Amino acid sequence: MGLPTLEFSDSFLDSPDFRERLKCHEIELERTNKFIKDLIKDGNMLITALKNLSAAVQKFSQSLQEFQFECLGDAETDDEVNIAQSFKEFSQLLNTVEEERRRLIQNADDVLITPLEKFRKEQIGAAKEGKKKFDKETEKYYSTLERHLSLSSKKKEAYLQEADTQIDKERQLFYDASLEYVFKIQEVQEKKKFEFVEPLLAFLQGLFTFYHEGYELAHEFEPYKQQLQFNLQNTRNNFVSTKQEVEKLMKRIRSADQDYKPPGQWTMEGFLYVQEKRPLGCTWTRHYCTYEKSSKTFTMSNTENKSAGKQPEVFKLKSCIRRKTDSIDKRFCFDIEVAERHGVMTLQALSESNRRLWLEAMDGREPIYNLPAILSKKEETYLNEAGFNFVRKCIDLVEMRGINTMGLYRIGGVNSKVQKLMTTVFSSKAPVDMDLDPDMWDNKTITSGLKNYLRCLSEPLMTFKLHKDFIMAVKSDDQNYRVRAVHALVHKMPERNKEMLELLIKHLVRVSAQNQSNLMTVSNLGVIFGPTLMRSQEETVAAMMNIKFQNIVVEILIENFNKIFLQPPDPNVPLPQPQSRPGSRRSRAICLSTGPRKPRSLYTPTLCLADAESEYQGSDALSSSPDSTPMGSIESLSSHSSEQNTSSKTASSRQRTCQDNAVFVSSPDSSSREDTGRTDGESEDALSSSSAMYSCEAEHSHELSFPQGAHFSNVYPSVEPGWLQATYEGKTGLIPENYVVFL
């Protein structure tokens, strides 16, 4: 039940029922007053909590901003650069959110606390003052009335008339106070419907604006998130393959003789104990020694001397001879003669095999022993006719029956079956043109056999000689140069190696074209065939860290097959030179936006419900952007071009909302045709030149023509499925959504 109304006429009667109804209003007014006090208290607590949350988020954002990734090796892939930059992008995103939250906090006191406090003090306070006046006049009136009624009728007429005048005056004051109080208390009950609710609505308006800002930021973040997910997946794949190779190297070194000569810049290096003669005998001091055979430079650094800044001693070696066992009571000793000292220096090695290595390096008078083999070599294969026939047969079988197999080349076959295949094909009795029985060998055995053959070549397919040049080429910051340099280096390979490489890469192009079913994207194939086609002659951890760049070389070969193998290279391409990437390179990583964010208009939430159809469509539009991107099921971005590349059909089809800018990137028929991988036509459907205009060949009358790398504005979803409406150089028309990446 609602509050009873108070009639002005009841103020004159001042009946018990009137007083009871008035009391109901007073109770409700007191309840409202208490509720507003509690609401103000809770509101202040909420604002304080928001301030604390904002301070914590800003501290978290600052920590992200200050952290700096450091990667192993002398260079980083584009994926690693983008990942290293991601913390700063996250920090920028959080700061943008916090800017809106700070505005919400700053306005909260003005739009919520102050109006509520004002309503409580001015309106409810005025009603309370009216009650005090009403109570005072009531008491005064009834007291006067009682005295007036107790007057004797025998009083003089003049006195009685004065008393009547006085009681009339008090009655009028009582009526006025009663009428004003009844008016005020009902006025407050009515005004609270809007003056009490309006501040809450204004506060929620600011809250909705804050949440709407986050919603729009989430849409701006979506392309960056997808790009970063591809970078992370590529890096994870590189890590897995690199880890496997490093673990193999660790096991081989663990099983080998501990005193082998590790590859490095010195002919020999390691700890030696140096005999130092003293008046009362001699002492043996541990030194870290290095020897360079070409210059005969021998260097000793005292590791037991704690004094800082002491320079190592450098000597010119004259001769070296093994110390006879019966001439000294120490084992594993040998003497060296240097130009800077008279007499000989006696050194003690760590073991007999270690001494042999030092003597061999210094041309000492000691029988030369071969260095212990680090590699337990597999049975080597050779680049001969049998090998070419085997590769062709494997490719034919895969393309005939298994090119759509999920995880092709990634899922290995049973080792015993693979070994049986290799033994059967490469036995001395097997014919050179031996056929492979498709019923006998399953797909996984065939693909594993192909990889095994290439890995067991006595020299990797892309040769030891060109290995460093390939690696340096893809470490370049200039993405166009990467393709041109790899193109030139491929044509420097031996003819048989180049022929085999072309045969294999042509097959991998076909495999990657079926990535929607087999999930073998260009990036995934790079991870698999990078270590298969390339390897360093020196097996060190530093060399293993370059596996990720080997993967990029293979990606470039696949994505630019026609250009590299069917066109002559540019004779003016300079040879790759060793270089270290400048720190400023990270400023060119992918980012959320390339300029200041557009100003946001005030978000006005709709207070009425939409009809069922529009509500359904709206929810569909809001949920069109997934929370996560499934890895491996969509075309990955190549590591060598991740700064400008884009996602595949799946990723691009997810752009359902209006975007500000877009750039033309690639067609769905090729993995990547950005300006890094294509400078002139590489395939049948490629552009005839880098400046050629692209025209959408479809049954649409309003398609746009635009060059590669074009930037669009006002990009919106079109009513035509698979098409977007965009503006380029003042002309508005349709463009395929699969050709666009949103920035």
Side-chain angles (χ1 to χ4, degrees), residues 495-563:
E495 194 59 36
R496 295 289 281 173
N497 295 58
K498 179 174 171 291
E499 182 182 350
M500 176 66 81
L501 183 64
E502 180 178 352
L503 176 66
L504 178 66
I505 298 300
K506 187 176 183 179
H507 167 61
L508 296 184
V509 170
R510 298 192 188 104
V511 171
S512 66
Q514 304 300 321
N515 68 81
Q516 294 296 327
S517 54
N518 60 32
L519 305 185
M520 297 311 297
T521 61
V522 173
S523 175
N524 290 338
L525 291 172
V527 170
I528 294 169
F529 283 93
T532 300
L533 302 180
M534 299 178 65
R535 66 176 182 270
S536 172
Q537 196 161 12
E538 294 180 349
E539 287 204 323
T540 63
V541 174
M544 299 301 176
M545 291 300 106
N546 282 330
I547 288 179
K548 56 196 175 187
F549 294 105
Q550 297 173 191
N551 303 345
I552 295 175
V553 173
V554 175
E555 292 176 22
I556 291 177
L557 293 175
I558 297 174
E559 293 182 336
N560 302 274
F561 172 79
N562 288 348
K563 176 182 178 66

Side-chain angles (χ1 to χ4, degrees), residues 385-410:
E385 285 303 321
F388 270 89
N389 178 71
F390 174 68
V391 171
R392 290 191 185 98
K393 298 294 184 184
C394 288
I395 290 175
D396 290 342
L397 275 179
V398 170
E399 294 184 354
M400 178 181 67
R401 68 180 185 183
I403 198 167
N404 292 316
T405 303
M406 185 180 296
L408 184 67
Y409 286 109
R410 191 153 203 168

